[in-house]
Amino acid sequence: MTAVRTLLARGVRDLRVRRYPVAPDARRDGRGPYPLVWTDLPGGTALDDDGVVVARGPSGERYPNPVSMCLYALGEHSRALTTPGPDPDRFGPFLTQATWLRTHQDRNGGWRYPVPVPRYGVAPGWYSGMAQGMAASTLLRAHDLTADRSFLDAADGAVDLLLLPVSRGGCADYDRQGRPFLEECPSDPPSRVLNGALFALFGLVEHQHRRGGDAHRLAADRLAADLDHFDLGWWSRYDLRWPWPASANYHALHVSLLRAAGVLTGRDVFARTAERWRRDLRDPRRHLRARLVKAARVWQHRHG
């Protein structure tokens, strides 16, 4: 009985979700604020002595985390754009992350993660499509600020690896029509993480509008075609590897990301799904149902 009460209490707490505002003036070419407004350091991260975002690994070690770095950088970039005054130092935190990405990009165009992902059975040394796409968004904006060609070259390299097939060490899982699903965590079987694919799509849209190409249209087509698989009819799924609902915070993130994707790609299916999931988000009964269903299915998986 105590366990049930604890679960219900957590379900009630889960009703209080974070807001993820969408930038009203985001542009498809990335010349301006990032589509999603991020206002602080991602959870579980900190700044090291050089001002670089680091996360804590499974053994307690700190390591530079490209996704967290980009979230912070893009949030600081948007904040600096709205800060009055001529002070160029306001872009300092943003450029610190962008410079680290440029300097530490490997010869394949990416940043390998030194930690495993037990959820998908992935060993250390993997590339993240989410990191590749978000890094492209960061590096393009760094080029805009500095006119330094090396940032643009680094963005090109990030997208090249993003679009390289998973079978060749990249982050794109192509269907028979040649449309890529941008994998946040490439794995076998595929994990298909929704928020990671959307973040990666933003960077691809911005890059292709600058540099030319149709890869962003093909990726948007693939995601639009697969969107029903993430829809439980009353809530969203985090990924397609495991059949349980997303947490309330990730469901809220899905809503905002889809809203932004609708604007950036012009595809109505993203906006329509975002609106329907937004209504689910406002229903406390569905919040609690998502929490209970997820808890039950995770328990069955671990004890089945």
Side-chain angles (χ1 to χ4, degrees):
M1 195 65 183
T2 301
V4 173
R5 285 197 297 268
T6 300
L7 186 60
L8 289 172
R10 289 177 178 172
V12 171
R13 286 200 301 271
D14 199 35
L15 302 182
R16 300 189 295 270
V17 298
R18 175 173 178 159
R19 293 181 64 252
Y20 301 93
V22 175
D25 50 349
R27 293 173 42 166
R28 293 177 180 178
D29 62 5
R31 298 185 189 277
Y34 191 65
L36 195 76
V37 178
W38 195 273
T39 56
D40 51 20
L41 276 169
T45 67
L47 298 178
D48 68 9
D49 292 340
D50 296 319
V52 174
V53 177
V54 292
R56 190 177 297 279
S59 301
E61 73 281 10
R62 293 283 189 176
Y63 68 95
N65 184 315
V67 164
S68 298
M69 197 178 297
C70 291
L71 279 171
Y72 175 70
L74 292 164
E76 287 298 305
H77 180 270
S78 295
R79 189 201 311 272
L81 288 177
T82 60
T83 301
D87 181 11
D89 290 341
R90 68 187 188 278
F91 288 101
F94 164 77
L95 287 172
T96 294
Q97 316 310 312
T99 300
W100 188 96
L101 291 167
R102 180 193 59 186
T103 303
H104 292 82
Q105 187 177 37
D106 67 24
R107 66 181 62 185
N108 295 322
W111 302 267
R112 290 188 184 274
Y113 270 78
V115 294
V117 186
R119 178 186 180 95
Y120 303 126
V122 174
W126 52 283
Y127 292 116
S128 168
M130 182 175 174
Q132 298 300 128
M134 296 189 75
S137 293
T138 302
L139 293 163
L140 287 173
R141 288 167 172 80
H143 174 258
D144 292 341
L145 282 174
T146 65
D148 186 333
R149 174 76 192 204
S150 66
F151 285 117
L152 189 58
D153 292 340
D156 291 344
V159 169
D160 286 345
L161 183 57
L162 172 63
L163 295 176
L164 190 70
V166 170
S167 61
R168 293 170 53 194
C171 303
D173 190 9
Y174 289 86
D175 64 12
R176 293 181 179 179
Q177 297 171 254
R179 303 177 303 181
F181 190 97
L182 307 176
E183 291 281 4
E184 175 180 340
C185 184
S187 62
D188 185 19
S191 52
R192 301 282 195 271
V193 179
L194 180 55
N195 83 89
L198 286 162
F199 275 115
L201 178 61
F202 293 171
L204 186 57
V205 167
E206 293 175 351
H207 179 271
Q208 301 285 273
H209 273 84
R210 299 275 195 105
R211 309 292 279 161
D214 291 325
H216 63 297
R217 296 188 179 91
L218 295 172
D221 286 346
R222 175 70 182 280
L223 193 54
D226 288 353
L227 200 54
D228 283 347
H229 298 306
F230 293 95
D231 195 342
L232 296 173
W234 51 275
W235 204 257
S236 64
R237 293 171 62 171
Y238 176 81
D239 60 26
L240 298 186
R241 179 73 176 272
W242 302 108
W244 42 65
S247 70
N249 274 314
Y250 270 109
H251 183 74
L253 180 59
H254 293 161
V255 170
S256 293
L257 290 173
L258 285 173
R259 284 179 55 207
V263 173
L264 291 180
T265 68
R267 284 164 174 76
D268 291 340
V269 64
F270 294 140
R272 291 198 308 270
T273 303
E275 178 57 27
R276 187 155 44 79
W277 287 357
R278 186 185 68 84
R279 291 196 297 268
D280 295 337
L281 186 64
R282 298 172 65 183
D283 188 336
R285 297 166 299 178
R286 298 192 176 191
H287 275 253
L288 189 56
R289 179 181 177 184
R291 166 71 78 170
L292 294 172
V293 170
K294 181 177 180 178
R297 291 185 179 174
V298 170
W299 188 91
Q300 290 170 355
H301 172 72
R302 291 176 177 173
H303 299 87

